[in-house]
Each structure stands twice: as structure tokens, then as C-alpha cells.
Amino acid sequence: MVEERLLGHVRLGGDLGDRCLLVALLGEQPEGRVAVLAAPEGSASLAAPYDFSFVPVYDGMNEIMDDPEVRAAMETNFRGLRGKRMALQLIRRTGPMLRRMLDEFAAVPAADADVVVHPVNLPMQHLAEKLGRPAVGVGLQPGWVPTSSFPNPLLPFPVPRALNRASYRLPNPALMGLAGVAKQWRSETLGLPRRPNQGDPLRTPTGAPVTMLQAFSEQVLPGPLAFPSWTHTTGYWYLPASSGWTPPEPLRAFLDTGEPTVSIGFGSMSGTDPGRVGRTIVEAVRLAGVRAVVITGWGGIDTSPAGDRIMIIDQAPHDWLFARTAANVHHGGGGTTAAALAAGRPQVICPFIADQPYWGQRMTISGVAPAPVPQRRLTAESLAGALRQAVGDASLAARADELGRIIRAENGVDRAVGLIHEVVRQRAGSGPGPQSRS
């Protein structure tokens, strides 16, 4: 068999739930297939248990997340004039960091790659063009591919149904922030000339559509769906469980008491005051009459003193922990939401920014969560009310169990990997792809 080399570029956040980004390069490794993953060095621990080549690149972006002003703006989803100013400052500050990261991506040995797989908010279509290879785009949330089925979910304001498709023409802030850096990188590092629509990750250099993979389930989208034929909503991508992790005995014993126990964690996010968030959680757990496993994560939630109804842990695999609780409280990141859905337990979502409010809304509409509790409105009383509903509402539990079984059966990994290989086969059958004009 001819060896296939898949070059994957991802940008992982601090949230362990985001490990699903790795899986397009995994699945069942067929003989003759080699996967090379280039990702920020902070992702190395997530990649370590799996057998593929990992190339670390610069990860300075995470340092910005510790800036108190940035945390304050994120806590309010960049609302108001102060939030908008901070968003603009953040784009300016991250420009040099993004350029360094892109330059290191370009230096990854990839001359014999067959395909470049990348999230569409990273401009790796330029590298694919340089290599003369096809690119496969990956979307972790809807909002990248225009559809008449629903408005762009990344917009912070409502849109009339008649303008659903038009709403996707509005500038995408995630791509706007990258545009200048990407343009320079394309010219100066990759040596590629300007061309029409060069910044569109959904189009090849010839103007044809790319193969686009949406790494989530149709089950949580508003229907009926109307995506173009080159867009494939595969179902969620779940990594196989790591065989090297064993739960600490105190954690197992805490979960096995038979009392309603919830998990609470906000990944890398805890706002400007981790102590306040911790005190809110402790009081909400008391008011709701539940027990809780609190995952401090990278955000550093401070729950001391917590009392005997709360266990504090740094982390635990979501696929192990979430299925053993009565409900799971999280910030609504795409990967964590996916893990909570697969667990088949009710959720409580307390969103900060970006796509998190959207997933919170969709989980409520899907019948697996009470109304979201945005972080800017998070109080002990509001969180306790949501906890009581999540733990005590039998209809939420039944729907979460039903939806979990459906989503687990979708096997998005196999479908995604099969589509990637189809791109490779099509290219092999049609001769060389578009070559660089540099």
C-alpha cells in the first residue's frame, strides 16, 4: 500500500474536552498510513498516549489568558465599549504570536504530505497550496458554512429567518483578526503570490469547494438542515479512552456513595476572581442539597474551605467522570459539551464567550439542560436553581440518556477519517493537485 501522510494542524485550548481536535488524524490506523500532528506544545500531554508523530510549535497565546484585563473582558463576553477595546487590543497583541506559530507550522517537514487537515480558523489552506496538496477544513461549531437553516450562530444578535444565509456574509471576527498576519505569512514565509479569494478557507486555489468536516452532531442543530454537498456533519469526534489513567480511590469512593453528585468545572476559565467563583460554587452546592466533584483545571477555581460535600480534583478524563455523575456543570466549550452529551447526563452550562452561549442555548432546546447561567450572572442562587432542576427533573435525565445513546452510535471519527481518505484517493486518481506558483 502506498504510504499516506496526513499533515494535521490544530490549535488546542486549555480545556481537556478540546482533545477531540486530535482525532481526525487517529481513528483506526490502517497499514501504510502515517499521521503527523503539528500543534502547540501545551497539547503534548494530550497527544502522548496515542501512537502518531507529534510536532510541537509555539504556544505563547496561552500566556495572554492570565492577563487580568483579558479575563475580565472574557467574563462579560467582550460586552460594552471596554470589552470591544480589549478585543481590539487582544488582536494587536496576538499578531506577533500568531505569526511565530504559523512560521513554525510552515517549518514542519511536510513535502511528502498527501493532505492537510486543519480547523478553518487557522489559515492552513495557504500551506496546502504551497505543498500542492488538498486541504480538508474542520469546523468545531456551526457558523463557517452558510446555510438557510439557521442564522450564523457566532453572531451576538438575532437575525430574521429571511436573512439566515445572508448573516454568514458578515465579517467573521475570528478570521478578521488573522487576516493581516495570514496575508503576510502567505507572502513572506510561503512565497505565494496574491490571488482572488486567497483568504477563504472553504475554497481551493481554483475556486472549487473544499471538503469540509463539521465535528459535531446534526442531532443538536435546528432542522431541517440544508448544507452543501461538500459539507459533512460527521457526528462528534471522540478519542478512545486512555488506558494509562486510573481513578484515585478517594474519588471513586466519593462517587459511589449513592447521593446525587455533580461535576463542576470551567476548564481554563474562571474569570477574574477564582475565589469568588469558588465561594459561589460551595454555596450553590449547599443550597441545592447535592454533592460535587469540582475540577479546578487550568482556570484555578479556589474552593477552600470546601467542606465534606465537595471533592476537589485537578482533572479527570471527561469520558470517565461525566458518566458517573447526576449532572455536569461546565462552560459550554465544544469539546466539553460533546463529552457531556456522550455521557448521557443532564448538563448545566455557564458560558463565557465565543460559541459557548450558543451551545448552552442548544443544550436547553435539545432538552438536556436547564436555561444557561451566563458567568456574568452567576450567583449561588442561580447556580443552585439550575442544579436542582438538572438533578431533579426526570424529563431532562431521560432525554439526556436518549440523546447520549444516539450520539454515541454516530461514530463521527470513522466517518471523518473515511472522508479524509476519500480526498487522498480522489487526488491520487486525478494526478497532481494544484501546484504552487512561487
Side-chain angles (χ1 to χ4, degrees):
M1 178 183 292
V2 177
E3 178 178 272
E4 295 178 6
R5 292 184 61 80
L6 284 76
L7 178 64
H9 295 275
V10 303
R11 175 78 175 92
L12 288 178
D15 183 358
L16 289 177
D18 289 340
R19 61 196 178 132
C20 67
L21 287 176
L22 299 171
V23 83
L25 303 175
L26 300 177
E28 294 296 324
Q29 294 265 13
E31 183 180 356
R33 172 183 164 195
V34 176
V36 178
L37 178 72
E41 57 191 355
S43 308
S45 61
L46 301 180
Y50 305 99
D51 185 21
F52 62 94
S53 178
F54 179 83
V55 181
V57 298
Y58 177 62
D59 196 16
M61 295 278 290
N62 281 332
E63 297 174 7
I64 292 181
M65 307 305 290
D66 293 328
D67 186 311
E69 286 190 271
V70 174
R71 283 185 174 269
M74 291 173 62
E75 195 170 38
T76 62
N77 198 9
F78 296 96
R79 288 174 178 269
L81 291 177
R82 182 178 179 183
K84 300 300 184 294
R85 282 198 301 269
M86 176 53 64
L88 293 174
Q89 292 174 20
L90 194 57
I91 290 173
R92 287 195 292 268
R93 289 173 60 184
T94 56
M97 297 179 179
L98 287 168
R99 177 61 186 272
R100 177 178 169 182
M101 183 177 70
L102 292 174
D103 283 344
E104 293 191 13
F105 275 139
V108 175
D112 56 349
D114 287 293
V115 63
V116 175
V117 183
H118 70 102
V120 291
N121 59 325
L122 271 186
M124 291 301 155
Q125 74 274 11
H126 300 307
L127 183 57
E129 182 179 349
K130 174 69 175 178
L131 297 171
R133 300 297 187 265
V136 172
V138 176
L140 299 176
Q141 61 282 111
W144 302 105
V145 179
T147 176
S148 59
S149 298
F150 49 83
N152 188 335
L154 301 182
L155 294 179
F157 49 81
V159 174
R161 183 176 180 83
L163 298 178
N164 279 356
R165 181 174 290 276
S167 70
Y168 292 83
R169 297 176 190 163
L170 295 175
N172 187 312
L175 296 183
M176 286 176 62
L178 269 175
V181 175
K183 182 179 178 180
Q184 290 181 341
W185 179 62
R186 174 185 173 88
S187 172
E188 298 171 4
T189 299
L190 301 181
L192 292 172
R194 293 181 63 181
R195 64 168 174 82
N197 301 315
Q198 65 182 33
D200 187 352
L202 303 181
R203 297 287 166 181
T204 71
T206 66
V210 302
T211 294
M212 176 68 179
L213 308 179
Q214 299 195 123
F216 43 85
S217 173
E218 292 184 352
Q219 298 293 327
V220 297
L221 299 180
L225 296 178
F227 286 115
S229 61
W230 45 269
T231 299
H232 308 271
T233 307
T234 62
Y236 285 106
W237 299 354
Y238 298 108
L239 282 175
S242 173
S243 59
W245 188 83
T246 302
E249 188 53 40
L251 174 60
R252 189 186 292 275
F254 188 83
L255 291 168
D256 287 346
T257 61
E259 294 185 68
T261 303
V262 301
S263 78
I264 303 176
F266 301 136
S268 59
M269 299 184 171
S270 62
T272 55
D273 189 347
R276 181 192 67 80
V277 175
R279 291 189 296 273
T280 298
I281 289 172
V282 170
E283 179 63 8
V285 167
R286 184 189 71 80
L287 291 173
V290 298
R291 303 164 80 248
V293 174
V294 176
I295 312 161
T296 57
W298 291 10
I301 296 173
D302 182 5
T303 57
S304 57
D308 59 4
R309 298 189 66 79
I310 292 178
M311 170 167 278
I312 311 299
I313 63 173
D314 178 53
Q315 63 158 306
H318 288 166
D319 52 9
W320 185 89
L321 178 62
F322 284 4
R324 289 167 171 79
T325 61
N328 297 292
V329 182
H330 59 93
H331 60 297
T336 310
T337 302
L341 282 165
R345 298 290 190 270
Q347 305 176 41
V348 173
I349 297 184
C350 305
F352 286 83
I353 60 169
D355 60 337
Q356 297 165 11
Y358 174 76
W359 289 126
Q361 177 194 61
R362 291 310 308 166
M363 292 307 99
T364 299
I365 294 172
S366 297
V368 301
V373 184
Q375 288 286 338
R376 67 184 184 277
R377 299 180 192 149
L378 185 66
T379 65
E381 291 74 17
S382 63
L383 181 56
L387 283 172
R388 282 192 291 265
Q389 185 177 352
V391 171
D393 189 330
S395 64
L396 286 181
R399 175 57 180 159
D401 179 68
E402 175 190 34
L403 189 55
R405 284 186 281 105
I406 294 171
I407 282 176
R408 289 193 301 271
E410 287 181 329
N411 205 345
V413 171
D414 281 356
R415 188 174 179 205
V417 171
L419 288 162
I420 291 169
H421 283 292
E422 181 61 28
V423 170
V424 174
R425 286 192 292 271
Q426 287 177 357
R427 179 183 178 275
S430 60
Q435 297 299 309
S436 164
R437 292 170 285 178
S438 62

